[in-house]
Amino acid sequence: MSDTPPCEPRALFQPPGVTFTCLPRKALTVWRLTLAFWTTLVALLFGIVPTTLVQFLHADLAVWPFWTLVTAFAGWSVVCWKRLGARWQATGYCLTEDELLLRGGLLHQHLTAMSYGRIQTVEVRSGPMQRRLGLATVHARTGSYRGAALKNLDTAEAEWIRDVLTRLAQQKQVAL
């Protein structure tokens, strides 16, 4: 179903014979827009607003500590911007014969395996930014607290995965 290319194979958490599918490129766009939003918000709250208040109140307060914080955060944001591409390549999913596999993380890498027989609910959600870019998130939950989320998939692919997971969960349902 997916037109998204397979993820780069990684030595860690690469089960034999399994090919992970990467998220669409638009997922990287969502992550970068979110980072840009938070960087702008920090610049406003810790740079422009204090500087304006100091000038408005004619206070003898130094504003350089505020701008130092903004500069440090902006530098950190540039590093994060570059790392988001690596995060995008490291994130993927695979529907095997018996389970849903999710892989991700750069520093703290993880592989989540969810048996189809344990899945009780599957839902698709889409926030405002996701809807604008034609993306959605699939949540698969078991009876326990744990669940798995495939975030920022193309809407058609998310609906297809929901249908497949629902069908496989019904077929392989474990007796409680």
Side-chain angles (χ1 to χ4, degrees):
M1 172 66 195
S2 173
D3 295 333
T4 307
C7 292
E8 299 277 330
R10 296 183 348 185
L12 189 61
F13 301 139
Q14 184 68 35
V18 173
T19 303
F20 286 90
T21 303
C22 281
L23 299 177
R25 189 106 180 134
K26 291 185 270 185
L28 181 59
T29 303
V30 169
W31 294 342
R32 286 186 170 162
L33 286 172
T34 303
L35 178 65
F37 168 79
W38 287 110
T39 302
T40 304
L41 187 66
V42 166
L44 284 171
L45 291 177
F46 293 103
I48 296 171
V49 170
T51 302
T52 306
L53 283 174
V54 166
Q55 290 176 353
F56 179 73
L57 298 174
H58 303 292
D60 293 330
L61 195 66
V63 293
W64 67 266
F66 299 112
W67 285 106
T68 303
L69 178 66
V70 169
T71 304
F73 189 77
W76 176 79
S77 295
V78 168
V79 171
C80 287
W81 186 278
K82 301 248 183 223
R83 298 303 295 163
L84 285 176
R87 177 183 169 201
W88 174 72
Q89 288 180 336
T91 304
Y93 69 93
C94 180
L95 300 173
T96 66
E97 188 176 318
D98 297 321
E99 57 195 2
L100 166 66
L101 299 175
L102 302 172
R103 181 183 72 185
L106 289 177
L107 293 176
H108 300 280
Q109 299 174 3
H110 61 87
L111 175 69
T112 302
M114 181 180 281
S115 171
Y116 298 135
R118 299 274 182 198
I119 296 175
Q120 291 187 349
T121 61
V122 180
E123 61 184 34
V124 178
R125 294 182 184 175
S126 186
M129 189 184 316
Q130 287 178 317
R131 282 193 303 275
R132 180 122 174 114
L133 294 170
L135 300 174
T137 299
V138 178
H139 292 275
R141 291 196 170 78
T142 62
S144 67
Y145 174 74
R146 300 286 299 180
L150 292 146
K151 297 181 181 180
N152 299 318
L153 297 170
D154 285 318
T155 305
E157 187 174 4
E159 291 172 355
W160 177 78
I161 289 174
R162 179 203 57 210
D163 294 341
V164 168
L165 288 178
T166 302
R167 182 177 40 82
L168 289 170
Q170 289 172 348
Q171 288 174 358
K172 300 179 184 255
Q173 191 170 22
V174 175
L176 298 176

